[in-house]
Amino acid sequence: MGNFERYLSLWVALCIVAGIALGHLVPGLFQAIAAAEVAQVNLPVALLIWLMIVPMLLKIDLGALGQVKEHWRGIGVTLFINWAVKPFSMALLGTLFIGHLFAPLLPQEQISSYIAGLILLAAAPCTAMVFVWSNLCEGEPHYTLSQVALNDLIMVFAFAPLVGLLLGVASITVPWGTLLLSVLLYIVIPVVAAQLWRRSLLATGGEPALARVLGRIQPVSLLALLTTLVLLFGFQGEQILAQPLVILLLAVPILIQVYVNAGLAYWLSRRLRVAWCVAAPAALIGASNFFELAVAAAISLFGLNSGAALATVVGVLVEVPVMLSVVRIVKATKPWYEGQAGA
């Protein structure tokens, strides 16, 4: 690990501060960047995510995807966490913290909207950024790709009824444009592009050529991650400075849920003797959220200036630094995991 990667936590902290400061100092610039979107999907951020995930996708040999059936226990763990635990645990945490413990500190008319936003956030498993987290913890790439594709398929059918059940709303307007465009942008296009590039490299220079390219573009991936962080915090710089207490309080149930769900997925994987290279991304997939879909659904259902929209945005803000901390935890505990998992 080079010096740049070793001090990644420091660069993340600096990017958060820089994003908030720049968002406050030059709000017009960030508003213009934020406006470059289609169906609530920000195109500059989508481009940065491509730069982040292509290095991992370049490592994937689609011909080896058949081997993923060996990791069926890891897939089962993640499906259980994503669809049977995470949305319901967030409904419980949101009601406990926002509806009761923190209620005196929050605008009373927005409390139910805040809880709805948290539920929307938890009901959508992450798509694009999971590739980044899995790559950082050296997770099994074929498992990660298969799990993300499976979650996307389930989301098409389960997102609306699940959210409707938890919110008590008879009819949920699913932002289909956001969902389908995100799958196209974050899965289909980068997978196809990476596979074409991989085949070209292997045809012209073999494995050494592929290894050289991967070594060169890895720093680009991390720089794109940090740039994305600056943009995300810059987009919300004014909100953070205007409502710091509300944002801090909304972050509490999100943080608890991330660590609890990641820990549960990691523990279940260990109990089921899942290989660490699968357990690590399983924990990350189980904990992270598809924030583009959550934000779009909140705006569609409750409005741009609603508490629900703000709650989903808080999920966006904490996603990168918190998931990086989960990456650090699973990597640090690898000896412990493998010591007993293989016993």
Side-chain angles (χ1 to χ4, degrees), residues 35-325:
E37 61 179 27
V38 176
Q40 306 294 333
V41 174
N42 186 269
L43 299 181
V45 171
L47 177 60
L48 288 169
I49 289 176
W50 282 358
L51 294 176
M52 283 186 268
I53 68 177
V54 164
M56 177 180 178
L57 295 176
L58 200 57
K59 298 176 183 177
I60 295 175
D61 175 11
L62 290 183
L65 273 178
Q67 301 172 7
V68 80
K69 61 180 180 292
E70 300 172 7
H71 307 305
W72 64 270
R73 287 174 295 182
I75 289 176
V77 166
T78 312
L79 289 177
F80 172 70
I81 297 296
N82 280 156
W83 298 105
V85 174
K86 192 164 68 158
F88 300 95
S89 64
M90 181 58 93
L92 177 62
L93 290 169
T95 301
L96 174 62
F97 284 94
I98 305 304
H100 292 90
L101 297 179
F102 298 157
L105 303 173
L106 295 167
Q108 294 300 304
E109 70 280 3
Q110 292 283 10
I111 286 178
S112 61
S113 185
Y114 291 145
I115 296 173
L118 293 174
I119 291 172
L120 285 168
L121 190 67
C126 185
T127 296
M129 296 298 286
V130 162
F131 291 115
V132 182
W133 314 138
S134 181
N135 192 40
L136 288 174
C137 70
E138 301 172 357
E140 215 291 328
H142 299 93
Y143 158 79
T144 304
L145 177 59
S146 300
Q147 183 65 73
V148 168
L150 184 57
N151 270 340
D152 285 340
L153 179 62
I154 293 174
M155 200 158 18
V156 170
F157 299 99
F159 179 75
L162 182 58
V163 170
L165 172 66
L166 291 172
L167 296 186
V169 179
S171 178
I172 291 294
T173 303
V174 177
W176 292 108
T178 301
L179 178 56
L180 297 177
L181 181 60
S182 294
V183 171
L184 178 67
L185 284 177
Y186 299 143
I187 303 296
V188 178
I189 292 177
V191 165
V192 171
Q195 286 303 302
L196 291 175
W197 192 6
R198 176 188 172 88
R199 290 183 181 183
S200 175
L201 289 170
L202 291 175
T204 56
E207 290 290 344
L210 178 62
R212 284 195 300 271
V213 169
L214 286 171
R216 290 170 185 166
I217 64 177
Q218 187 62 36
V220 175
S221 179
L222 290 177
L223 286 172
L225 173 63
L226 296 177
T227 304
T228 302
L229 197 58
V230 172
L231 286 183
L232 294 178
F233 277 83
F235 291 157
Q236 303 300 326
E238 292 295 323
Q239 288 238 52
I240 293 171
L241 295 176
Q243 305 180 75
L245 179 61
V246 172
I247 288 170
L248 180 63
L249 296 179
L250 288 172
V252 171
I254 297 173
L255 293 174
I256 292 174
Q257 189 205 226
V258 166
Y259 290 119
V260 168
N261 287 331
L264 180 59
Y266 200 48
W267 177 79
L268 285 174
S269 296
R270 190 166 181 259
R271 294 287 295 177
L272 294 171
R273 300 182 182 276
V274 175
W276 182 86
C277 64
V278 171
L284 295 159
I285 295 171
S288 55
N289 303 302
F290 187 176
F291 51 76
E292 294 92 349
L293 178 61
V295 172
I299 292 173
S300 174
L301 288 170
F302 300 97
L304 181 62
N305 297 314
S306 65
L310 180 61
T312 56
V313 166
V314 175
V316 176
L317 296 178
V318 303
E319 173 87 3
V320 175
V322 173
M323 293 309 297
L324 284 172
S325 73

